[in-house]
Amino acid sequence: MKFNENLAQLVNYEAGKPIELVVREFGIEPKDVIKLASNENPFGTSERVVNAIKDVAKNAFLYPDDSYFELKNSLASKFNIGAKNIIIGSGSDQVIEFCIHAKANEKNAVLMAGVTFAMYEIYTKHVGAKVYRTKAQEHDLTEFLEIYKANKDEIAIIFLCLPNNPLGGCLDADEVYKFLNEISKETLVVFDCAYNEFAEFKDKKKWIDPAKIVNEFKNAIYLGTFSKAYGLGGMRVGYGIADENIIAELGKIRSPFNITTLSLKAAIEALKDEEFVTKSLENNFKEMTRYEEFAREFDIEFIPSYTNFITFKFKEQNASEIVQKMLKKGIILRDLKSYGMNALRITIGQPWQNDRVLKELKEMLK
């Protein structure tokens, strides 16, 4: 059977291993497994959200309000924008897919950082567009601009992952806005800000303001998610914020009822529980210092992170072997081999989780 020829150049996205896999393969009890591979909130989901989901579960047979009126208006109030400036997606990665299908094709190209979220390239190849990457792993805007100017007529979309996943670094907002002024209004610039809450908490200079994007940059879109700081990874709710014209075009691609009745209620309630988010952010950066100190002690290169994870780059040790050994001990970390790196990524957990991870890592490395 023949399929779309663009699929021949694709490999499946490698998600973080689930707890169930470790239980099956190594016979470890679920309660003894620590998953710090997919940047989920280690505190789980707000109790307020859990109760709301239970209450609305009886309506699981009903489709959600496809206008997403309450959620859009809550986001509009939070960011001081209009509801018409918002599109809802099944995770922010669905909005990434909307952007690529709306703007890219086999006649043009997409520009991204040397190491960044893998789905940008995967979705780009779905439509047969060319991929340009910087030589720098992190976001070097000088190099971005050089590549863009040399291929201006070809590049339809630029992806900026701020903070960058899977590395953790982040640019200052002012330099990003300055960069935007150099870009043609015909080029769509996508700000993937899944970890923006973490970046702002650590350093307010990193905060990308959705209202500024809407009001000043008609060729840009801000992407946010409920999967990280809000602890709703399993609910799959993301959003895009942009000029009304961009949102209207993306809306032509969105299928009806693209998030669930339960997901919609969860997101609405999550926005109301800022105390839960603050607790998560405070724990994250307090605990992250422990990993930084550990890296210095064992001469491991790490990237200063503005996210809820930290990336360790290894010189002599094999990161893949470390990840596999940790897996057998019931600790799930993320191997970055698929990104061409001898590195691993660790989601920052609760203190007791980090105690165990650091203890096991220390035993291996010493």
Side-chain angles (χ1 to χ4, degrees):
M1 182 182 292
K2 291 184 177 180
F3 292 93
N4 185 326
E5 62 183 20
N6 292 328
L7 298 182
Q9 56 180 325
L10 288 174
V11 294
N12 291 339
Y13 175 75
E14 184 182 336
K17 289 181 171 57
I19 292 173
E20 293 81 0
L21 180 145
V22 179
V23 172
R24 288 194 304 269
E25 288 195 3
F26 303 109
I28 300 172
E29 290 293 322
K31 64 179 179 62
D32 295 325
V33 178
I34 295 176
K35 184 186 179 189
L36 297 178
S38 299
N39 307 333
E40 295 140 329
N41 192 317
F43 291 102
T45 303
S46 156
E47 195 64 30
R48 176 173 186 157
V49 172
V50 172
N51 292 331
I53 294 171
K54 290 177 181 177
D55 289 343
V56 81
K58 61 182 179 293
N59 294 329
F61 70 101
L62 294 172
Y63 290 115
D65 168 14
D66 192 51
S67 73
Y68 305 135
F69 177 84
E70 188 175 356
L71 177 57
K72 284 185 178 180
N73 277 278
S74 296
L75 287 167
S77 177
K78 176 180 176 64
F79 294 123
N80 195 28
I81 55 171
K84 290 183 178 180
N85 297 116
I86 302 169
I87 188 168
I88 302 299
S90 177
S92 56
D93 53 320
Q94 187 181 47
V95 188
I96 294 169
E97 186 177 16
F98 293 162
C99 291
I100 289 175
H101 281 264
K103 189 70 176 164
N105 57 49
E106 66 280 354
K107 296 178 182 179
N108 53 42
V110 176
L111 174 60
M112 62 195 72
V115 175
T116 193
F117 186 40
M119 292 309 299
Y120 305 154
E121 180 169 358
I122 291 172
Y123 287 138
T124 298
K125 289 182 176 179
H126 282 185
V127 300
K130 185 176 181 179
V131 175
Y132 284 110
R133 287 183 179 272
T134 61
K135 292 180 180 178
Q137 290 183 339
E138 286 277 14
H139 289 74
D140 181 335
L141 292 183
T142 299
E143 190 180 355
F144 264 88
L145 205 54
E146 288 173 355
I147 296 173
Y148 177 72
K149 288 182 175 180
N151 304 278
K152 186 174 181 180
D153 295 335
E154 189 180 7
I155 294 173
I157 303 174
I158 299 172
F159 277 101
L160 298 177
C161 191
L162 305 169
N164 192 15
N165 178 27
L167 301 182
C170 192
L171 300 171
D172 285 354
D174 284 347
E175 60 181 319
V176 175
Y177 300 146
K178 183 179 179 182
F179 170 80
L180 263 177
N181 287 319
E182 300 287 331
I183 304 302
S184 164
K185 300 307 177 187
E186 289 301 314
T187 304
L188 179 64
V189 182
V190 181
F191 290 100
D192 186 351
C193 296
Y195 300 91
N196 206 14
E197 292 89 353
F198 295 91
E200 182 197 22
F201 187 87
K202 185 175 182 179
D203 184 350
K204 294 192 182 300
K205 295 195 299 293
K206 308 295 183 183
W207 169 250
I208 302 297
D209 182 2
K212 188 176 180 71
I213 298 300
V214 168
N215 295 326
E216 298 183 25
F217 302 106
K218 303 301 182 182
N219 63 322
I221 182 168
Y222 172 104
L223 306 185
T225 184
F226 286 89
S227 296
K228 308 304 177 185
Y230 290 94
L232 296 184
M235 287 282 115
R236 309 305 299 126
V237 186
Y239 53 91
I241 296 174
D243 180 77
E244 288 183 31
N245 292 326
I246 293 177
I247 298 301
E249 291 301 309
L250 299 186
K252 296 174 183 177
I253 299 170
R254 184 187 72 85
S255 60
F257 315 118
N258 61 319
I259 65 171
T260 71
T261 299
L262 273 62
S263 298
L264 178 57
K265 184 63 174 178
I268 291 167
E269 290 302 315
L271 281 174
K272 299 174 183 177
D273 196 348
E274 287 297 328
E275 184 179 340
F276 173 81
V277 174
T278 300
K279 170 189 171 183
S280 301
L281 296 174
E282 288 175 345
N283 172 81
N284 182 76
F285 289 108
K286 179 180 179 182
E287 289 294 301
M288 188 181 289
T289 60
R290 299 177 62 192
Y291 284 96
E292 293 171 345
E293 290 167 2
F294 178 89
R296 294 186 187 100
E297 180 183 351
F298 285 88
D299 193 29
I300 300 169
E301 181 183 353
F302 69 92
I303 299 169
S305 176
Y306 294 85
T307 65
N308 66 344
F309 62 82
I310 190 165
T311 299
F312 282 179
K313 293 181 175 181
F314 292 91
K315 302 167 186 173
E316 298 177 3
Q317 299 96 341
N318 187 306
S320 297
E321 290 180 4
I322 294 172
V323 169
Q324 193 61 29
K325 288 178 181 177
M326 294 290 277
L327 200 60
K328 292 178 180 178
K329 294 178 178 291
I331 298 172
I332 311 173
L333 307 180
R334 185 62 184 272
D335 185 1
L336 298 185
K337 181 173 64 175
S338 62
Y339 288 88
M341 300 174 66
N342 181 29
L344 59 83
R345 189 186 69 191
I346 307 170
T347 304
I348 307 301
Q350 294 190 48
W352 67 271
Q353 294 173 314
N354 300 325
D355 288 345
R356 186 172 153 200
V357 171
L358 291 170
K359 177 177 178 294
E360 296 292 353
L361 279 176
K362 187 172 185 177
E363 288 297 317
M364 288 181 191
L365 296 176
K366 74 179 182 180

